[in-house]
Amino acid sequence: MQQIIVAVTLISSVIRSSEQMAITRIQPLSAHLQPCATPTDPAEKQVYTVWMKSLVFNGHGCTIYGQDGRVAYRVDNYACSRSREVYVMDSDGRTLIKLLKKNFGVFKTWKGYSYRHGPSDLEEENAKPWFSVQKAHRILKKGGQYSSRAVVTVCVSGKVYRIDGVSHKSEYRISDADGEVVAETKRKQTASGVVLGEDVLSLTVGAAADRLLVVGLVVVCGLLSRCI
């Protein structure tokens, strides 16, 4: 009888240890790249790795790693896919952006609400969105292929951006009104030149771009292409 009790105690200890290890994996260390921080070198671009998977087992979402290999941003929808309400968080689980899907006829629109200064930003029922993304139309490219474009409006400043190739899962560009590319994604390659799967992307963000805004737009692109 005593041997059975000892065996049960050991099994319980192993289970608790495994659960703690799982929690440790889901709660990575904070990235040194803070959402509102500015790069040390004004001319330096920031490169992130985007994994179109959630850190939560059997969950839906995406994870964005900084140049130091640590989690910088994440989206976890848990068991709910293609949700109409999505939250972009930092590595500690603090909400940075709230995304809401709005349908206006045949047009798909996502509105982003900023939590940059805390939840008090959205206390008002009719709080003004930070930005709006509308999947506009398809463009005929050379070779007879079509590419979709989305129009981004930053409601606070009135700036307009466009996203070309939003229908593609792995390659698209975000440009400003003058046509200058402020961010782009491509399939990630290893140092030896091996191209990884379509769910592992390399995100390059220009030095002058608002990184949190770009991250929000990347998440919207994943939602539009049904990757999240």
Side-chain angles (χ1 to χ4, degrees):
M1 184 67 179
Q2 186 176 3
Q3 292 178 346
I4 295 175
I5 294 174
V6 172
V8 171
T9 303
L10 289 173
I11 292 172
S12 300
S13 177
V14 171
I15 292 174
R16 286 196 299 269
S17 177
S18 299
E19 289 176 346
Q20 290 174 355
M21 290 175 65
I23 292 173
T24 301
R25 293 192 196 101
I26 294 174
Q27 300 292 338
L29 295 174
S30 301
H32 76 284
L33 299 173
Q34 297 300 322
C36 301
T38 55
T40 304
D41 183 356
E44 181 183 357
K45 294 181 178 180
Q46 297 295 320
V47 180
Y48 298 89
T49 297
V50 183
W51 185 39
M52 305 304 288
K53 300 289 184 181
S54 170
L55 288 173
V56 179
F57 182 69
N58 280 340
H60 298 274
C62 70
T63 310
I64 300 177
Y65 297 87
Q67 294 180 191
D68 61 352
R70 298 180 179 182
V71 174
Y73 308 95
R74 61 190 178 97
V75 174
D76 296 314
N77 290 339
Y78 302 99
C80 182
S81 63
R82 301 180 188 178
S83 176
R84 301 178 65 90
E85 185 173 324
V86 177
Y87 293 88
V88 180
M89 300 173 286
D90 64 9
S91 60
D92 295 323
R94 290 187 293 265
T95 300
L96 303 175
I97 305 174
K98 177 181 179 181
L99 299 171
L100 293 178
K101 184 179 181 181
K102 305 288 185 180
N103 287 334
F104 300 98
V106 296
F107 297 102
K108 297 179 181 179
T109 301
W110 282 90
K111 294 184 179 294
Y113 296 82
S114 174
Y115 275 77
R116 183 170 291 189
H117 303 295
S120 59
D121 290 353
L122 297 180
E123 285 182 353
E124 297 182 10
E125 184 177 354
N126 297 319
K128 188 174 183 179
W130 179 22
F131 63 85
S132 176
V133 182
Q134 185 178 81
K135 192 173 181 179
H137 51 271
R138 297 199 304 169
I139 303 170
L140 181 62
K141 301 176 66 176
K142 293 181 179 179
Q145 296 182 343
Y146 283 92
S147 176
S148 295
R149 171 177 291 179
V151 177
V152 181
T153 303
V154 180
C155 305
V156 177
S157 64
K159 292 183 179 180
V160 177
Y161 298 87
R162 73 169 188 267
I163 307 174
D164 292 309
V166 69
S167 60
H168 298 168
K169 294 182 179 180
S170 55
E171 295 189 4
Y172 48 86
R173 291 184 174 184
I174 302 173
S175 307
D176 60 17
D178 298 325
E180 181 179 353
V181 177
V182 297
E184 63 179 335
T185 64
K186 295 181 179 180
R187 288 179 63 177
K188 190 172 182 65
Q189 294 186 10
T190 64
S192 59
V194 178
V195 180
L196 302 181
E198 289 189 349
D199 60 347
V200 183
L201 313 178
S202 178
L203 168 64
T204 303
V205 183
D210 186 327
R211 284 180 286 167
L212 185 55
L213 173 62
V214 170
V215 167
L217 298 182
V218 168
V219 174
V220 171
C221 287
L223 292 165
L224 290 173
S225 59
R226 299 183 178 182
C227 294
I228 300 176

